[in-house]
Amino acid sequence: MSDLARNRKATFDYEILDTFEAGLVLTGHEVKAIRNGKLKLEGSHVVVRGGEVFLVGTNIAPYQPANAPKDYDPERTITLLLNHKEVAQLEAKSEQRGLTIAPIRCYNKAGKIKLEIAIVRGKKKQDKRETIKARDVKRDIERTLKNQ
């Protein structure tokens, strides 16, 4: 499974509570663009409406801008494919105060493009500082081990 896109900001800004794997409803030129690395997940989120799950705010740049369809919308709402049990669970969690659903990464699995989404809770400023400190300490340790 190779990562096609990753939402690094989400893993820094949010505490991940539970993850799900969802399929995406895409057109042919969108699939080519995503496989070419033209998907941006930063700033996007997942919404549950009427028993369906949608990815909102993501940007898929056209595969070939000169040959893109005239009505191509790079920021269109994308339908996600999940089973009924997962949709009900996401809907219940999204209504809770302080929880939201965010896309984490997009990857290729057996020729299909999948999206990993997660139920997340926002981190406080202090938690973000601790994450930065832990990352710096880990980097320093790896650097000293490499030099020895």
Side-chain angles (χ1 to χ4, degrees), residues 30 40 55-61 72-78:
E30 288 175 333
K40 293 196 176 26
L55 180 63
V56 180
T58 189
N59 188 335
I60 304 173
Y72 181 69
D73 181 18
E75 294 192 6
R76 78 175 179 92
T77 302
I78 298 170

Side-chain angles (χ1 to χ4, degrees), residues 12-25:
F12 179 73
D13 287 340
Y14 300 110
E15 171 190 353
I16 297 173
L17 304 176
D18 197 10
T19 60
F20 298 89
E21 179 181 77
L24 294 116
V25 177

